[in-house]
Amino acid sequence: MAPEVVEFRDGEQLAAWQDFRLSTMPDLISSMNLCHALFAFVDSGVLNNLRNGKRLPEEGLLAGTKEDIGQNLLRYLEMRGVLETRDAGYFLTRQGELLTSDVSLARLGIYLEAYGPVLSRTGELLTGRAEYGTDVQRRGGPLGKHCATLSSVFHTPVVVEAMRGRGVRKMLDVGCGGGSLLVDACLRDPELTGVGLDIDADAVEEARDLASRQGVADRVEFVVGDASAPDTWPAVCFEADGMCTVSALHEHFRDGEQAVVDLLNAYRAALPEQKILLVGEPEIRYDARDNDDDFFLIHVLTDQGLPRDRSAWLGVFEKSELECRRVYRRPEAGPRVSFYDLVPRPQR
């Protein structure tokens, strides 16, 4: 005999549950957990196993994982529409393919892997119980890796076009990090050579290794130096006839706008014969479209100078000894970056 089922329904309880649903909090919780599940799906190697044709656990799909958890993670991803099962095993759905594209995973990795240690301690940073740079840091390695993916898709082609349009043959990349932009630019333009400069010696070593692996070590050189002190740069930097710096200047806004103007003027004094000083900087709209609000948040929490919109940057250039000849834009990109084509301002 089946037991009697007693359901309790009253107006107060129903109203509370309806309010919870209407708040969209269920969707927020699901989105948060799906992000972590997707990251584990990739980081554990299961996605790579799947892409290599391993469709079932007995074929090695869950190799390197705790199989009981792995089995249920696959089931969860099937519930969420990332995976589907057929007779031959697991397959990515169309949504799953889009969620695991290079661009999607790079965007996820920036917020979850690179800035995850920061975002998870938002409350402590807000109340002063933790200080960025002392108690908590973003993870530079993952940030560089994921930014390199996005840069290759969205931004390096713009840099190559701008340099080619001004007849540059040797590009100086100031704040080059792991060298991905310069190496990618040289791969796209076989006539281009370059010099990359970064203050982080480990990053410079990574850049040299990348250039060697990509077969352009004979066309690029990477050196250690302080981007904000051009008078201390190695001599090879001054052999370049074009310079670029991407997503680096806005951090100096934490010291005030004049700090950025002063650095621009220092570049102008040190490199008076450059055909182009290309400044690439993210724009910000301060809205909730395409994670613009999330981009704002990570800059607030990490005590970086906040990115400016295009009109504000043009105002900064007006106060410097450089003038902007052209703005290169790629509006549909993440993040949106405008590239400003600068040259020394004629003497007034």
Side-chain angles (χ1 to χ4, degrees), residues 175-232:
C176 67
S180 58
L181 185 145
L182 186 56
V183 168
D184 193 18
C186 288
L187 287 171
R188 292 171 184 269
D189 184 349
E191 296 183 3
L192 186 67
T193 63
V195 180
L197 175 137
D198 200 275
I199 198 169
D200 187 331
D202 291 336
V204 168
E205 283 302 315
E206 288 180 20
R208 290 169 179 164
D209 181 63
L210 176 65
S212 178
R213 287 187 281 110
Q214 294 295 326
V216 295
D218 59 331
R219 294 165 50 203
V220 295
E221 184 173 349
F222 292 97
V223 295
V224 177
D226 185 348
S228 62
D231 56 322
T232 67

Side-chain angles (χ1 to χ4, degrees), residues 119-303:
L119 292 165
S120 66
R121 300 184 69 179
T122 299
E124 294 171 82
L125 292 166
L126 173 65
T127 58
R129 287 177 290 134
E131 291 293 331
Y132 181 76
T134 302
D135 306 302
V136 59
Q137 284 272 21
R138 68 186 183 188
R139 298 180 63 200
L143 181 62
K145 177 182 70 174
H146 297 309
C147 285
T149 297
L150 298 172
S151 180
S152 180
V153 174
F154 297 118
H155 306 314
T156 309
V158 180
V159 173
V160 171
E161 181 63 26
M163 292 293 164
R164 186 182 290 135
R166 299 301 181 187
V168 172
R169 287 292 171 263
K170 190 165 191 173
M171 181 176 82
L172 171 63
D173 182 9
V174 174
C176 67
S180 58
L181 185 145
L182 186 56
V183 168
D184 193 18
C186 288
L187 287 171
R188 292 171 184 269
D189 184 349
E191 296 183 3
L192 186 67
T193 63
V195 180
L197 175 137
D198 200 275
I199 198 169
D200 187 331
D202 291 336
V204 168
E205 283 302 315
E206 288 180 20
R208 290 169 179 164
D209 181 63
L210 176 65
S212 178
R213 287 187 281 110
Q214 294 295 326
V216 295
D218 59 331
R219 294 165 50 203
V220 295
E221 184 173 349
F222 292 97
V223 295
V224 177
D226 185 348
S228 62
D231 56 322
T232 67
W233 291 352
V236 68
C237 296
F238 301 96
E239 297 175 5
D241 57 344
M243 170 182 160
C244 78
T245 181
V246 181
S247 296
L249 283 181
H250 73 267
E251 296 199 11
H252 294 275
F253 281 130
R254 62 175 172 258
D255 300 318
E257 189 172 279
Q258 189 60 43
V260 177
V261 173
D262 290 344
L263 186 52
L264 288 168
N265 290 341
Y267 290 157
R268 184 251 183 272
L271 305 162
E273 304 301 321
Q274 294 286 293
K275 295 175 180 176
I276 181 175
L277 166 54
L278 190 68
V279 172
E281 283 293 336
E283 292 194 66
I284 194 164
R285 282 186 313 248
Y286 299 102
D287 63 23
R289 178 183 166 194
D290 298 333
N291 304 116
D292 202 70
D293 46 354
D294 302 303
F295 189 65
F296 167 74
L297 179 62
I298 60 175
H299 280 80
V300 170
L301 295 177
T302 53
D303 196 28

Side-chain angles (χ1 to χ4, degrees), residues 35-36 38-39 103-113 146:
C35 285
H36 284 284
L38 283 171
F39 183 77
V103 168
S104 291
L105 291 178
R107 293 279 289 175
L108 175 64
I110 285 175
Y111 290 99
L112 194 60
E113 187 177 15
H146 297 309

